[in-house]
Each structure stands twice: as C-alpha cells, then as structure tokens.
Amino acid sequence: MNQPTSRKPDLLGRLGALCKGLPTIRCAIVHPCDVESVAGAHEAAKAGLIDPVLVGPQARIAKALDLAGIAGAMPIIATEHSHAAAARAVAMGRAGEVAALMKGSLHTDELMGAAVAEDGLRTARRMSHVFVMDVPAYDRLLLISDAAINIGPDLDCKRDIVQNAIDLAHALGITAPRVAILSAVETVSARIPSTVDAAALCKMADRGQIIGGRLDGPLAFDNAISPEAAQQKGIVSDVAGRADILIVPDLEAGNMLAKQLSYFSGADSAGIVMGARCPIALTSRADPIEARLASAALVSLVAVAAAKAAPAVKA
C-alpha cells in the first residue's frame, strides 16, 4: 500500500498557482455576518482571486467588518435576513451579475434551498458537491463526490455527479481524470447495489453518456488509490491505484471518507457545488482563512473555465 509521508499539504498553494494570470471574478458572499466570512472574502480579494460583494443584513455585516478591522473595504447589498440574502445572491447568479457564490454564516440548506428552487440556479444537470483534497500520503489532488448534497443518489443522479466531478477536474487542469466508482468490493454483485451502479456508469461512459474521463468500477477504496493493492487483487486497469476522482455510493460514505482524510491524514480540503449556473463554494463556519481562500480559488477556476467554454454571442 502507499506509505504515509511527511509532506505538508498545500492545497491553497496548488490552487493559487493555477489561478495565476486568470481574470478576477465577481463573487457574491452570502450573509457574511461574522468576522471569519468577511475576513476570508477580504483576503481572497487581496489575493486577486475574487471581487467580492457582500449580500446580507447591512448592520450585521458592518459590525463584522468593523470587528475585522476592514470596514468599508467591500460593497454591500443589503437584505433583511439570511433567507433574503440567499434569494438575492441566487438571483444575481442567475442574471449573470456575479460569476460565483460563496456561503457566509448562514446554514447550507438556506443557500442550497434557494439555489435548487425553480427560479434558482438549476441546469439540466443535477447539482452535486465535490471535495478537493490534498492528502499528504497521495501524489495528486483527490476529488471526492458527493459528500454533502445528494443523500442516496440513483443511477441517473450518479451520472451527473460523475460528470460534474470530471468538469471540475478539467478546470483544475486534469485533462483526462481517472474516475474510480467506489464500493466495498471490486466485483459486481446484485447483493451490493452500488457495484451494479458502478458497472452501469462505466458502460455509460463507453456509450458517451459520460465524457471527458476514464472510469472504472466497482473498486474498493484500497484498489482505487493503491497500485500495490490493485496488483495484489489482479486488477488490470488504467484507473486502479491512480484515481483522481473517487465517486462514493452515498453521502454518508463520502462525508465520513472526506472527514477521515482531514482528521486522520491531515489533508487540506475545499468544497464546491457543481452543476449549477454558477459555482457555489460551501465554506464551513469553522474553516480557517486558508480553506476559505482555497474555496475562492476553486470557484474562480471553475467560473473562468465556464466562461471560456461558453459559446460566443454574436453582436
């Protein structure tokens, strides 16, 4: 198996390097009513990652700015409360007034409730969350999905989860990401439905229903990230042992896996919602400045990639 290393993770440094030379995007910071949210937005602006606009109750935001010592540094769009802030920010994203959203001090379900509403940020694809992790014992960035939005995804939802993760990998410069569809075993069994879904997803990729990545599954976690484990099991695969993306069977598995990597392995992480009209960074109220900057870098990379891929509008 891969042996642990003493390498210090540096997700922010790796993402920041990818952002060099990119245009700064306008980003709505939704309900930033604590010091951490406004300080993170301010530092992200200083780093040239985003041009933040703060959306929420003006008095509470002003107090947070004052406590952070950065009063007057960023524009404010005043709303009455957190629900109104989420609705206003989503409307700005839908209208193209901002290229990304970043969660402030409101609950995730408030922001995502507005995003998934009929008049929100829906596209033809299901929204899903992707963790981007720099794990000390792994030699590449590792994407894990979905660990925050879709609780028990069916096959069609998993197809969108996979495609969203591939699109994010492309924005990170991974041109042909290796996608491991995880289960408890590496063989297909009707008794373990996730193995059947994994096999179906691989065939969907063969038929062009999923594009831009190389899929294999079902794969157990060890076979997905350890070349030695894959070799011992006799798995011949371009993905096994070298996965860039791990697709988990359900939210519970993904959430536990991501948090284990953070707390047991000391991994750096940042999270982003894909599949919406614009990327959404779901920061945690406990996130340090570095994690908030990494999230800002993520939405910047995705927004710029989306703008480049958009068809030109004729005058």
Side-chain angles (χ1 to χ4, degrees):
M1 59 180 294
N2 288 346
Q3 296 299 315
T5 73
S6 58
R7 178 180 69 85
K8 184 178 180 181
D10 185 19
L11 180 60
L12 176 57
R14 297 174 77 164
L15 296 179
L18 294 172
C19 289
K20 284 187 177 178
L22 295 183
T24 302
I25 64 159
R26 193 164 189 242
C27 179
I29 315 300
V30 189
H31 198 258
C33 296
D34 59 2
V35 169
E36 292 77 14
S37 296
V38 294
H42 183 56
E43 290 299 318
K46 286 171 58 179
L49 299 171
I50 58 172
D51 178 16
V53 53
L54 312 182
V55 183
Q58 184 157 359
R60 293 184 63 187
I61 294 174
K63 181 178 179 180
L65 288 167
D66 186 56
L67 289 172
I70 49 177
M74 293 171 282
I76 300 173
I77 294 180
T79 67
E80 186 177 359
H81 42 61
S82 58
H83 286 287
R88 181 64 183 276
V90 164
M92 293 171 69
R94 187 174 63 251
E97 297 172 13
V98 294
L101 273 60
M102 180 177 289
K103 175 178 168 285
S105 57
L106 78 172
H107 291 292
T108 297
D109 58 356
E110 288 184 86
L111 177 54
M112 291 309 302
V116 303
E118 288 294 338
D119 60 348
L121 297 174
R122 288 188 183 186
T123 65
R125 196 183 297 170
R126 186 72 171 257
M127 295 182 206
S128 58
H129 181 271
V130 189
F131 274 116
V132 179
M133 310 197 78
D134 184 4
V135 184
Y138 205 53
D139 64 353
R140 68 195 71 203
L141 290 180
L142 190 62
L143 281 61
I144 298 174
S145 191
D146 183 342
I149 293 180
N150 296 286
I151 297 172
D154 61 15
L155 181 60
D156 287 336
C157 183
K158 286 181 179 180
R159 188 216 76 86
D160 289 350
I161 288 171
V162 172
Q163 192 63 65
N164 286 339
I166 290 173
D167 290 352
L168 175 56
H170 290 170
L172 296 174
I174 307 170
T175 56
R178 297 177 173 90
V179 184
I181 316 298
L182 296 186
S183 186
V185 295
E186 63 278 354
T187 54
V188 179
S189 170
R191 293 178 296 175
I192 306 178
S194 61
T195 67
V196 180
D197 283 354
L201 289 166
C202 292
K203 184 51 66 177
M204 292 170 85
D206 290 343
R207 295 289 186 264
Q209 293 173 269
I210 299 170
I211 60 173
R214 292 169 281 183
L215 275 65
D216 196 8
L219 288 171
F221 178 78
D222 56 345
N223 302 326
I225 57 93
S226 168
E228 294 82 5
Q231 184 178 24
Q232 289 169 4
K233 289 289 184 72
I235 299 172
V236 179
S237 165
D238 188 42
V239 173
R242 298 183 292 170
D244 301 296
I245 299 171
L246 302 179
I247 301 298
V248 297
D250 55 36
L251 181 147
E252 292 172 305
N255 194 277
M256 285 185 270
L257 173 58
K259 288 178 179 176
Q260 286 164 359
L261 291 174
S262 292
Y263 284 89
F264 281 166
S265 301
D268 282 352
S269 70
I272 185 172
V273 176
M274 300 288 292
R277 292 193 185 191
C278 65
I280 305 170
L282 292 184
T283 57
S284 167
R285 278 176 276 187
D287 280 345
I289 288 290
E290 292 79 10
R292 294 174 186 273
L293 290 173
S295 293
L298 270 184
V299 293
S300 175
L301 288 163
V302 172
V304 171
K308 289 180 179 179
V313 179
K314 294 182 180 180

